[in-house]
Amino acid sequence: MELIQRNPQLAAYLAADGVVDHQHPVVRETAAQLASGATDAYSYAKTAYEFVRDEIPHSQDSGDLMVTWRASDVLTERTGVCCAKSHALAALLRAESIPAAFCYQRLTDDDGSHPLVHGLVAVRLPERGAWARIDARGNKPGIDARFSLDEECLAWKVRPEFSEVDYPVLYDVPHPAVVSALRAAPDRPSLWPIYPTEL
């Protein structure tokens, strides 16, 4: 699949905003801690990815009812759904001047029911001229997502027979439909009925 950069300006994928608040002290402090052991952009990106994947539980897996959406809140509360964790990962990457984009899949249950939008991050390291999608959702039995720039190791491969979709667009800001749902939900059970099922 050819990934499509929505904004032609690469600098847009380094920007901070109200969701990807990488100028927040919590984001800066976390990035500095992770960067202290990194030797280059690749090792930092891998460390940041594994930190978000492994140290911030997916709230559905952990049973946490809290809904986070702002990157600094995800890092502070140590919880979030896939898209919220993507916001945190992108903020950590951008804090160290590594371009990060938001990208999405449409996934369903094994019978094609209960579609929802799944959030990913695409990273573009300085020494590489291409974007690579990574999935910081968090592993569990049956899911083994890994940091890989050459061959995608995402949590799920889409199944077209169930109308699942890999959306090719790389967004410089999180999709507004996702952000709107996360911000509106007082808790996780309230999130799923209003969460987007497609883009």
mmCIF file of all heavy atoms in Angstrom, residues 87-139:
data_model
loop_
_atom_site.group_PDB
_atom_site.id
_atom_site.type_symbol
_atom_site.label_atom_id
_atom_site.label_comp_id
_atom_site.label_asym_id
_atom_site.label_seq_id
_atom_site.Cartn_x
_atom_site.Cartn_y
_atom_site.Cartn_z
ATOM 1 N N HIS A 87 -1.442 9.172 20.077
ATOM 2 C CA HIS A 87 -1.168 10.589 20.339
ATOM 3 C C HIS A 87 0.079 10.733 21.204
ATOM 4 O O HIS A 87 0.922 11.613 20.974
ATOM 5 C CB HIS A 87 -2.367 11.246 21.036
ATOM 6 C CG HIS A 87 -3.633 11.178 20.255
ATOM 7 N ND1 HIS A 87 -4.869 11.425 20.813
ATOM 8 C CD2 HIS A 87 -3.879 10.884 18.949
ATOM 9 C CE1 HIS A 87 -5.808 11.286 19.899
ATOM 10 N NE2 HIS A 87 -5.229 10.956 18.754
ATOM 11 N N ALA A 88 0.201 9.865 22.212
ATOM 12 C CA ALA A 88 1.364 9.925 23.102
ATOM 13 C C ALA A 88 2.643 9.571 22.357
ATOM 14 O O ALA A 88 3.673 10.241 22.528
ATOM 15 C CB ALA A 88 1.156 8.991 24.288
ATOM 16 N N LEU A 89 2.607 8.531 21.546
ATOM 17 C CA LEU A 89 3.800 8.133 20.811
ATOM 18 C C LEU A 89 4.225 9.227 19.839
ATOM 19 O O LEU A 89 5.409 9.562 19.744
ATOM 20 C CB LEU A 89 3.558 6.821 20.071
ATOM 21 C CG LEU A 89 4.716 6.335 19.190
ATOM 22 C CD1 LEU A 89 6.014 6.205 19.975
ATOM 23 C CD2 LEU A 89 4.356 5.017 18.509
ATOM 24 N N ALA A 90 3.277 9.782 19.121
ATOM 25 C CA ALA A 90 3.610 10.854 18.174
ATOM 26 C C ALA A 90 4.234 12.048 18.899
ATOM 27 O O ALA A 90 5.192 12.654 18.413
ATOM 28 C CB ALA A 90 2.368 11.288 17.411
ATOM 29 N N ALA A 91 3.695 12.384 20.056
ATOM 30 C CA ALA A 91 4.245 13.507 20.825
ATOM 31 C C ALA A 91 5.684 13.225 21.244
ATOM 32 O O ALA A 91 6.547 14.110 21.167
ATOM 33 C CB ALA A 91 3.370 13.782 22.044
ATOM 34 N N LEU A 92 5.955 11.995 21.693
ATOM 35 C CA LEU A 92 7.315 11.652 22.100
ATOM 36 C C LEU A 92 8.273 11.690 20.910
ATOM 37 O O LEU A 92 9.422 12.138 21.041
ATOM 38 C CB LEU A 92 7.337 10.271 22.750
ATOM 39 C CG LEU A 92 6.681 10.175 24.121
ATOM 40 C CD1 LEU A 92 6.602 8.713 24.574
ATOM 41 C CD2 LEU A 92 7.433 11.009 25.161
ATOM 42 N N LEU A 93 7.828 11.241 19.762
ATOM 43 C CA LEU A 93 8.674 11.289 18.571
ATOM 44 C C LEU A 93 8.914 12.735 18.136
ATOM 45 O O LEU A 93 10.062 13.141 17.894
ATOM 46 C CB LEU A 93 8.026 10.493 17.437
ATOM 47 C CG LEU A 93 7.936 8.983 17.653
ATOM 48 C CD1 LEU A 93 7.054 8.335 16.590
ATOM 49 C CD2 LEU A 93 9.313 8.340 17.673
ATOM 50 N N ARG A 94 7.857 13.515 18.075
ATOM 51 C CA ARG A 94 8.001 14.908 17.650
ATOM 52 C C ARG A 94 8.831 15.720 18.644
ATOM 53 O O ARG A 94 9.524 16.664 18.244
ATOM 54 C CB ARG A 94 6.623 15.537 17.466
ATOM 55 C CG ARG A 94 5.834 14.958 16.291
ATOM 56 C CD ARG A 94 4.487 15.638 16.124
ATOM 57 N NE ARG A 94 3.716 15.046 15.033
ATOM 58 C CZ ARG A 94 2.585 15.564 14.556
ATOM 59 N NH1 ARG A 94 2.080 16.674 15.089
ATOM 60 N NH2 ARG A 94 1.943 14.959 13.564
ATOM 61 N N ALA A 95 8.773 15.365 19.909
ATOM 62 C CA ALA A 95 9.565 16.074 20.918
ATOM 63 C C ALA A 95 11.057 15.961 20.628
ATOM 64 O O ALA A 95 11.843 16.826 21.025
ATOM 65 C CB ALA A 95 9.263 15.518 22.308
ATOM 66 N N GLU A 96 11.453 14.906 19.932
ATOM 67 C CA GLU A 96 12.858 14.711 19.562
ATOM 68 C C GLU A 96 13.075 14.930 18.062
ATOM 69 O O GLU A 96 14.008 14.390 17.464
ATOM 70 C CB GLU A 96 13.311 13.308 19.978
ATOM 71 C CG GLU A 96 13.399 13.119 21.480
ATOM 72 C CD GLU A 96 14.469 13.994 22.129
ATOM 73 O OE1 GLU A 96 15.599 14.059 21.589
ATOM 74 O OE2 GLU A 96 14.177 14.619 23.178
ATOM 75 N N SER A 97 12.189 15.734 17.460
ATOM 76 C CA SER A 97 12.320 16.167 16.058
ATOM 77 C C SER A 97 12.264 15.023 15.056
ATOM 78 O O SER A 97 12.904 15.061 14.004
ATOM 79 C CB SER A 97 13.615 16.973 15.858
ATOM 80 O OG SER A 97 13.621 18.106 16.695
ATOM 81 N N ILE A 98 11.475 13.998 15.373
ATOM 82 C CA ILE A 98 11.240 12.887 14.448
ATOM 83 C C ILE A 98 9.823 13.020 13.909
ATOM 84 O O ILE A 98 8.863 12.979 14.679
ATOM 85 C CB ILE A 98 11.419 11.530 15.150
ATOM 86 C CG1 ILE A 98 12.869 11.378 15.650
ATOM 87 C CG2 ILE A 98 11.047 10.389 14.214
ATOM 88 C CD1 ILE A 98 13.085 10.136 16.497
ATOM 89 N N PRO A 99 9.644 13.206 12.596
ATOM 90 C CA PRO A 99 8.299 13.339 12.039
ATOM 91 C C PRO A 99 7.427 12.129 12.352
ATOM 92 O O PRO A 99 7.868 10.980 12.220
ATOM 93 C CB PRO A 99 8.548 13.470 10.527
ATOM 94 C CG PRO A 99 9.943 14.016 10.428
ATOM 95 C CD PRO A 99 10.689 13.377 11.562
ATOM 96 N N ALA A 100 6.195 12.403 12.792
ATOM 97 C CA ALA A 100 5.244 11.344 13.135
ATOM 98 C C ALA A 100 3.887 11.713 12.576
ATOM 99 O O ALA A 100 3.445 12.858 12.690
ATOM 100 C CB ALA A 100 5.166 11.163 14.649
ATOM 101 N N ALA A 101 3.222 10.745 11.966
ATOM 102 C CA ALA A 101 1.908 10.943 11.351
ATOM 103 C C ALA A 101 0.897 10.010 12.005
ATOM 104 O O ALA A 101 1.262 8.990 12.612
ATOM 105 C CB ALA A 101 1.973 10.660 9.855
ATOM 106 N N PHE A 102 -0.368 10.359 11.853
ATOM 107 C CA PHE A 102 -1.463 9.523 12.345
ATOM 108 C C PHE A 102 -2.074 8.798 11.160
ATOM 109 O O PHE A 102 -2.333 9.398 10.111
ATOM 110 C CB PHE A 102 -2.512 10.382 13.054
ATOM 111 C CG PHE A 102 -1.924 11.134 14.215
ATOM 112 C CD1 PHE A 102 -1.518 12.446 14.059
ATOM 113 C CD2 PHE A 102 -1.735 10.519 15.435
ATOM 114 C CE1 PHE A 102 -0.936 13.134 15.112
ATOM 115 C CE2 PHE A 102 -1.153 11.196 16.493
ATOM 116 C CZ PHE A 102 -0.750 12.506 16.327
ATOM 117 N N CYS A 103 -2.290 7.497 11.324
ATOM 118 C CA CYS A 103 -2.933 6.712 10.278
ATOM 119 C C CYS A 103 -3.857 5.692 10.940
ATOM 120 O O CYS A 103 -3.765 5.461 12.155
ATOM 121 C CB CYS A 103 -1.913 6.042 9.368
ATOM 122 S SG CYS A 103 -0.501 5.303 10.211
ATOM 123 N N TYR A 104 -4.738 5.126 10.155
ATOM 124 C CA TYR A 104 -5.840 4.374 10.751
ATOM 125 C C TYR A 104 -6.175 3.132 9.933
ATOM 126 O O TYR A 104 -5.893 3.039 8.736
ATOM 127 C CB TYR A 104 -7.084 5.276 10.844
ATOM 128 C CG TYR A 104 -6.839 6.521 11.657
ATOM 129 C CD1 TYR A 104 -6.424 7.701 11.044
ATOM 130 C CD2 TYR A 104 -7.001 6.523 13.038
ATOM 131 C CE1 TYR A 104 -6.177 8.851 11.784
ATOM 132 C CE2 TYR A 104 -6.772 7.667 13.791
ATOM 133 C CZ TYR A 104 -6.352 8.821 13.159
ATOM 134 O OH TYR A 104 -6.105 9.962 13.902
ATOM 135 N N GLN A 105 -6.801 2.198 10.637
ATOM 136 C CA GLN A 105 -7.404 1.025 10.019
ATOM 137 C C GLN A 105 -8.870 0.969 10.436
ATOM 138 O O GLN A 105 -9.246 1.507 11.482
ATOM 139 C CB GLN A 105 -6.725 -0.260 10.499
ATOM 140 C CG GLN A 105 -5.273 -0.413 10.117
ATOM 141 C CD GLN A 105 -4.646 -1.643 10.765
ATOM 142 O OE1 GLN A 105 -4.829 -1.886 11.947
ATOM 143 N NE2 GLN A 105 -3.915 -2.426 9.972
ATOM 144 N N ARG A 106 -9.682 0.308 9.620
ATOM 145 C CA ARG A 106 -11.040 -0.045 10.021
ATOM 146 C C ARG A 106 -11.022 -1.538 10.280
ATOM 147 O O ARG A 106 -10.740 -2.339 9.377
ATOM 148 C CB ARG A 106 -12.051 0.286 8.923
ATOM 149 C CG ARG A 106 -13.497 -0.060 9.284
ATOM 150 C CD ARG A 106 -14.424 0.193 8.099
ATOM 151 N NE ARG A 106 -15.826 0.127 8.476
ATOM 152 C CZ ARG A 106 -16.586 -0.967 8.388
ATOM 153 N NH1 ARG A 106 -16.062 -2.107 7.945
ATOM 154 N NH2 ARG A 106 -17.861 -0.925 8.731
ATOM 155 N N LEU A 107 -11.306 -1.925 11.532
ATOM 156 C CA LEU A 107 -11.271 -3.325 11.934
ATOM 157 C C LEU A 107 -12.642 -3.775 12.412
ATOM 158 O O LEU A 107 -13.483 -2.944 12.767
ATOM 159 C CB LEU A 107 -10.243 -3.528 13.051
ATOM 160 C CG LEU A 107 -8.800 -3.119 12.732
ATOM 161 C CD1 LEU A 107 -7.925 -3.241 13.970
ATOM 162 C CD2 LEU A 107 -8.233 -3.945 11.580
ATOM 163 N N THR A 108 -12.853 -5.092 12.429
ATOM 164 C CA THR A 108 -14.125 -5.643 12.892
ATOM 165 C C THR A 108 -13.869 -6.874 13.758
ATOM 166 O O THR A 108 -12.743 -7.369 13.845
ATOM 167 C CB THR A 108 -15.028 -6.072 11.712
ATOM 168 O OG1 THR A 108 -14.446 -7.223 11.082
ATOM 169 C CG2 THR A 108 -15.190 -4.962 10.677
ATOM 170 N N ASP A 109 -14.924 -7.381 14.367
ATOM 171 C CA ASP A 109 -14.844 -8.676 15.028
ATOM 172 C C ASP A 109 -14.677 -9.773 13.972
ATOM 173 O O ASP A 109 -14.784 -9.518 12.769
ATOM 174 C CB ASP A 109 -16.104 -8.936 15.856
ATOM 175 C CG ASP A 109 -16.156 -8.090 17.126
ATOM 176 O OD1 ASP A 109 -15.120 -7.506 17.494
ATOM 177 O OD2 ASP A 109 -17.238 -8.016 17.740
ATOM 178 N N ASP A 110 -14.465 -10.995 14.432
ATOM 179 C CA ASP A 110 -14.196 -12.091 13.497
ATOM 180 C C ASP A 110 -15.363 -12.436 12.587
ATOM 181 O O ASP A 110 -15.186 -13.144 11.595
ATOM 182 C CB ASP A 110 -13.758 -13.341 14.265
ATOM 183 C CG ASP A 110 -12.344 -13.219 14.812
ATOM 184 O OD1 ASP A 110 -11.575 -12.383 14.290
ATOM 185 O OD2 ASP A 110 -12.015 -13.946 15.758
ATOM 186 N N ASP A 111 -16.555 -11.959 12.916
ATOM 187 C CA ASP A 111 -17.701 -12.206 12.037
ATOM 188 C C ASP A 111 -18.067 -10.966 11.216
ATOM 189 O O ASP A 111 -19.097 -10.946 10.552
ATOM 190 C CB ASP A 111 -18.911 -12.665 12.859
ATOM 191 C CG ASP A 111 -19.350 -11.627 13.882
ATOM 192 O OD1 ASP A 111 -18.715 -10.558 13.975
ATOM 193 O OD2 ASP A 111 -20.342 -11.893 14.593
ATOM 194 N N GLY A 112 -17.207 -9.958 11.255
ATOM 195 C CA GLY A 112 -17.456 -8.743 10.486
ATOM 196 C C GLY A 112 -18.305 -7.715 11.202
ATOM 197 O O GLY A 112 -18.583 -6.656 10.645
ATOM 198 N N SER A 113 -18.713 -8.005 12.437
ATOM 199 C CA SER A 113 -19.544 -7.055 13.188
ATOM 200 C C SER A 113 -18.676 -6.101 14.014
ATOM 201 O O SER A 113 -17.466 -6.260 14.112
ATOM 202 C CB SER A 113 -20.498 -7.818 14.118
ATOM 203 O OG SER A 113 -19.760 -8.537 15.095
ATOM 204 N N HIS A 114 -19.314 -5.117 14.602
ATOM 205 C CA HIS A 114 -18.672 -4.144 15.495
ATOM 206 C C HIS A 114 -17.446 -3.469 14.878
ATOM 207 O O HIS A 114 -16.343 -3.527 15.435
ATOM 208 C CB HIS A 114 -18.284 -4.800 16.826
ATOM 209 C CG HIS A 114 -19.442 -5.405 17.547
ATOM 210 N ND1 HIS A 114 -19.654 -6.771 17.594
ATOM 211 C CD2 HIS A 114 -20.457 -4.832 18.230
ATOM 212 C CE1 HIS A 114 -20.753 -7.023 18.283
ATOM 213 N NE2 HIS A 114 -21.259 -5.863 18.682
ATOM 214 N N PRO A 115 -17.614 -2.811 13.733
ATOM 215 C CA PRO A 115 -16.472 -2.114 13.140
ATOM 216 C C PRO A 115 -16.048 -0.930 14.008
ATOM 217 O O PRO A 115 -16.861 -0.322 14.704
ATOM 218 C CB PRO A 115 -17.026 -1.631 11.794
ATOM 219 C CG PRO A 115 -18.494 -1.493 12.024
ATOM 220 C CD PRO A 115 -18.856 -2.597 12.968
ATOM 221 N N LEU A 116 -14.751 -0.653 13.973
ATOM 222 C CA LEU A 116 -14.231 0.540 14.639
ATOM 223 C C LEU A 116 -12.932 0.975 13.981
ATOM 224 O O LEU A 116 -12.298 0.227 13.257
ATOM 225 C CB LEU A 116 -14.017 0.294 16.141
ATOM 226 C CG LEU A 116 -13.097 -0.826 16.617
ATOM 227 C CD1 LEU A 116 -11.620 -0.500 16.430
ATOM 228 C CD2 LEU A 116 -13.350 -1.118 18.083
ATOM 229 N N VAL A 117 -12.573 2.220 14.247
ATOM 230 C CA VAL A 117 -11.348 2.789 13.709
ATOM 231 C C VAL A 117 -10.208 2.518 14.686
ATOM 232 O O VAL A 117 -10.336 2.788 15.884
ATOM 233 C CB VAL A 117 -11.513 4.302 13.472
ATOM 234 C CG1 VAL A 117 -10.168 4.945 13.140
ATOM 235 C CG2 VAL A 117 -12.509 4.557 12.352
ATOM 236 N N HIS A 118 -9.134 1.964 14.170
ATOM 237 C CA HIS A 118 -7.948 1.640 14.975
ATOM 238 C C HIS A 118 -6.838 2.617 14.611
ATOM 239 O O HIS A 118 -6.575 2.861 13.429
ATOM 240 C CB HIS A 118 -7.522 0.201 14.686
ATOM 241 C CG HIS A 118 -6.281 -0.225 15.397
ATOM 242 N ND1 HIS A 118 -6.167 -0.209 16.773
ATOM 243 C CD2 HIS A 118 -5.085 -0.669 14.920
ATOM 244 C CE1 HIS A 118 -4.965 -0.647 17.117
ATOM 245 N NE2 HIS A 118 -4.287 -0.932 16.009
ATOM 246 N N GLY A 119 -6.185 3.178 15.630
ATOM 247 C CA GLY A 119 -5.171 4.194 15.401
ATOM 248 C C GLY A 119 -3.744 3.662 15.401
ATOM 249 O O GLY A 119 -3.364 2.854 16.249
ATOM 250 N N LEU A 120 -2.968 4.133 14.430
ATOM 251 C CA LEU A 120 -1.557 3.791 14.286
ATOM 252 C C LEU A 120 -0.745 5.077 14.185
ATOM 253 O O LEU A 120 -1.302 6.172 14.054
ATOM 254 C CB LEU A 120 -1.320 2.979 12.997
ATOM 255 C CG LEU A 120 -2.208 1.770 12.730
ATOM 256 C CD1 LEU A 120 -2.003 1.292 11.300
ATOM 257 C CD2 LEU A 120 -1.896 0.667 13.711
ATOM 258 N N VAL A 121 0.556 4.929 14.205
ATOM 259 C CA VAL A 121 1.475 6.040 13.955
ATOM 260 C C VAL A 121 2.375 5.633 12.797
ATOM 261 O O VAL A 121 2.748 4.461 12.669
ATOM 262 C CB VAL A 121 2.322 6.351 15.206
ATOM 263 C CG1 VAL A 121 3.484 7.280 14.892
ATOM 264 C CG2 VAL A 121 1.450 6.963 16.296
ATOM 265 N N ALA A 122 2.713 6.589 11.962
ATOM 266 C CA ALA A 122 3.761 6.370 10.959
ATOM 267 C C ALA A 122 4.935 7.257 11.327
ATOM 268 O O ALA A 122 4.766 8.405 11.740
ATOM 269 C CB ALA A 122 3.254 6.706 9.561
ATOM 270 N N VAL A 123 6.119 6.705 11.214
ATOM 271 C CA VAL A 123 7.342 7.426 11.582
ATOM 272 C C VAL A 123 8.229 7.559 10.352
ATOM 273 O O VAL A 123 8.248 6.675 9.481
ATOM 274 C CB VAL A 123 8.074 6.691 12.730
ATOM 275 C CG1 VAL A 123 8.478 5.282 12.303
ATOM 276 C CG2 VAL A 123 9.282 7.473 13.216
ATOM 277 N N ARG A 124 8.937 8.688 10.286
ATOM 278 C CA ARG A 124 9.879 8.896 9.177
ATOM 279 C C ARG A 124 11.212 9.342 9.774
ATOM 280 O O ARG A 124 11.348 10.478 10.214
ATOM 281 C CB ARG A 124 9.331 9.939 8.203
ATOM 282 C CG ARG A 124 10.214 10.157 6.994
ATOM 283 C CD ARG A 124 9.505 10.950 5.932
ATOM 284 N NE ARG A 124 10.397 11.293 4.839
ATOM 285 C CZ ARG A 124 9.981 11.640 3.639
ATOM 286 N NH1 ARG A 124 8.694 11.695 3.376
ATOM 287 N NH2 ARG A 124 10.838 11.950 2.700
ATOM 288 N N LEU A 125 12.153 8.427 9.786
ATOM 289 C CA LEU A 125 13.454 8.732 10.378
ATOM 290 C C LEU A 125 14.326 9.503 9.391
ATOM 291 O O LEU A 125 14.194 9.349 8.168
ATOM 292 C CB LEU A 125 14.145 7.441 10.803
ATOM 293 C CG LEU A 125 13.461 6.690 11.952
ATOM 294 C CD1 LEU A 125 14.236 5.435 12.300
ATOM 295 C CD2 LEU A 125 13.314 7.573 13.174
ATOM 296 N N PRO A 126 15.211 10.343 9.930
ATOM 297 C CA PRO A 126 16.009 11.235 9.073
ATOM 298 C C PRO A 126 16.797 10.506 7.981
ATOM 299 O O PRO A 126 16.918 11.007 6.861
ATOM 300 C CB PRO A 126 16.952 11.916 10.069
ATOM 301 C CG PRO A 126 16.271 11.831 11.378
ATOM 302 C CD PRO A 126 15.489 10.553 11.355
ATOM 303 N N GLU A 127 17.337 9.323 8.300
ATOM 304 C CA GLU A 127 18.179 8.636 7.328
ATOM 305 C C GLU A 127 17.373 7.825 6.313
ATOM 306 O O GLU A 127 17.941 7.208 5.419
ATOM 307 C CB GLU A 127 19.191 7.729 8.044
ATOM 308 C CG GLU A 127 18.574 6.590 8.843
ATOM 309 C CD GLU A 127 18.217 6.982 10.273
ATOM 310 O OE1 GLU A 127 18.189 8.184 10.589
ATOM 311 O OE2 GLU A 127 17.952 6.061 11.065
ATOM 312 N N ARG A 128 16.055 7.824 6.452
ATOM 313 C CA ARG A 128 15.201 7.068 5.540
ATOM 314 C C ARG A 128 14.270 8.026 4.807
ATOM 315 O O ARG A 128 13.814 9.005 5.354
ATOM 316 C CB ARG A 128 14.370 6.033 6.303
ATOM 317 C CG ARG A 128 15.213 4.952 6.978
ATOM 318 C CD ARG A 128 14.355 4.044 7.814
ATOM 319 N NE ARG A 128 13.349 3.367 7.030
ATOM 320 C CZ ARG A 128 13.487 2.154 6.512
ATOM 321 N NH1 ARG A 128 14.602 1.493 6.696
ATOM 322 N NH2 ARG A 128 12.522 1.593 5.823
ATOM 323 N N GLY A 129 13.974 7.713 3.577
ATOM 324 C CA GLY A 129 13.109 8.594 2.809
ATOM 325 C C GLY A 129 11.669 8.139 2.766
ATOM 326 O O GLY A 129 10.879 8.660 1.984
ATOM 327 N N ALA A 130 11.321 7.164 3.595
ATOM 328 C CA ALA A 130 9.976 6.594 3.536
ATOM 329 C C ALA A 130 9.357 6.543 4.925
ATOM 330 O O ALA A 130 10.053 6.465 5.939
ATOM 331 C CB ALA A 130 10.031 5.191 2.932
ATOM 332 N N TRP A 131 8.033 6.581 4.934
ATOM 333 C CA TRP A 131 7.281 6.418 6.176
ATOM 334 C C TRP A 131 7.130 4.935 6.499
ATOM 335 O O TRP A 131 7.055 4.094 5.593
ATOM 336 C CB TRP A 131 5.887 7.019 6.029
ATOM 337 C CG TRP A 131 5.850 8.516 5.920
ATOM 338 C CD1 TRP A 131 5.841 9.260 4.772
ATOM 339 C CD2 TRP A 131 5.781 9.450 7.005
ATOM 340 N NE1 TRP A 131 5.772 10.596 5.081
ATOM 341 C CE2 TRP A 131 5.730 10.749 6.443
ATOM 342 C CE3 TRP A 131 5.754 9.317 8.393
ATOM 343 C CZ2 TRP A 131 5.665 11.902 7.226
ATOM 344 C CZ3 TRP A 131 5.684 10.459 9.165
ATOM 345 C CH2 TRP A 131 5.638 11.727 8.590
ATOM 346 N N ALA A 132 7.038 4.616 7.782
ATOM 347 C CA ALA A 132 6.785 3.243 8.221
ATOM 348 C C ALA A 132 5.708 3.266 9.296
ATOM 349 O O ALA A 132 5.802 4.035 10.264
ATOM 350 C CB ALA A 132 8.058 2.609 8.761
ATOM 351 N N ARG A 133 4.690 2.439 9.124
ATOM 352 C CA ARG A 133 3.608 2.381 10.121
ATOM 353 C C ARG A 133 3.997 1.469 11.278
ATOM 354 O O ARG A 133 4.543 0.375 11.070
ATOM 355 C CB ARG A 133 2.312 1.865 9.480
ATOM 356 C CG ARG A 133 1.752 2.781 8.413
ATOM 357 C CD ARG A 133 0.342 2.382 8.006
ATOM 358 N NE ARG A 133 0.253 0.973 7.614
ATOM 359 C CZ ARG A 133 -0.898 0.325 7.439
ATOM 360 N NH1 ARG A 133 -2.046 0.940 7.620
ATOM 361 N NH2 ARG A 133 -0.898 -0.948 7.076
ATOM 362 N N ILE A 134 3.690 1.923 12.500
ATOM 363 C CA ILE A 134 3.938 1.138 13.703
ATOM 364 C C ILE A 134 2.691 1.203 14.579
ATOM 365 O O ILE A 134 1.931 2.176 14.521
ATOM 366 C CB ILE A 134 5.190 1.633 14.466
ATOM 367 C CG1 ILE A 134 5.137 3.150 14.701
ATOM 368 C CG2 ILE A 134 6.464 1.258 13.713
ATOM 369 C CD1 ILE A 134 6.323 3.712 15.458
ATOM 370 N N ASP A 135 2.492 0.184 15.386
ATOM 371 C CA ASP A 135 1.266 0.034 16.167
ATOM 372 C C ASP A 135 1.628 -0.145 17.640
ATOM 373 O O ASP A 135 2.113 -1.191 18.044
ATOM 374 C CB ASP A 135 0.485 -1.175 15.652
ATOM 375 C CG ASP A 135 -0.903 -1.302 16.256
ATOM 376 O OD1 ASP A 135 -1.164 -0.691 17.305
ATOM 377 O OD2 ASP A 135 -1.729 -2.024 15.663
ATOM 378 N N ALA A 136 1.373 0.899 18.436
ATOM 379 C CA ALA A 136 1.729 0.883 19.858
ATOM 380 C C ALA A 136 0.552 0.480 20.743
ATOM 381 O O ALA A 136 0.557 0.745 21.939
ATOM 382 C CB ALA A 136 2.255 2.249 20.284
ATOM 383 N N ARG A 137 -0.439 -0.179 20.168
ATOM 384 C CA ARG A 137 -1.639 -0.554 20.910
ATOM 385 C C ARG A 137 -1.352 -1.286 22.216
ATOM 386 O O ARG A 137 -1.986 -1.068 23.226
ATOM 387 C CB ARG A 137 -2.504 -1.445 20.008
ATOM 388 C CG ARG A 137 -3.770 -1.947 20.650
ATOM 389 C CD ARG A 137 -3.990 -3.420 20.406
ATOM 390 N NE ARG A 137 -5.205 -3.839 21.085
ATOM 391 C CZ ARG A 137 -5.243 -4.271 22.349
ATOM 392 N NH1 ARG A 137 -4.148 -4.326 23.071
ATOM 393 N NH2 ARG A 137 -6.381 -4.620 22.904
ATOM 394 N N GLY A 138 -0.374 -2.182 22.157
ATOM 395 C CA GLY A 138 -0.058 -3.011 23.313
ATOM 396 C C GLY A 138 -0.312 -4.468 22.975
ATOM 397 O O GLY A 138 -1.353 -4.817 22.406
ATOM 398 N N ASN A 139 0.644 -5.313 23.295
ATOM 399 C CA ASN A 139 0.527 -6.726 22.961
ATOM 400 C C ASN A 139 -0.220 -7.502 24.043
ATOM 401 O O ASN A 139 -0.294 -7.088 25.201
ATOM 402 C CB ASN A 139 1.915 -7.336 22.752
ATOM 403 C CG ASN A 139 2.566 -6.834 21.473
ATOM 404 O OD1 ASN A 139 1.880 -6.381 20.558
ATOM 405 N ND2 ASN A 139 3.880 -6.909 21.419
#
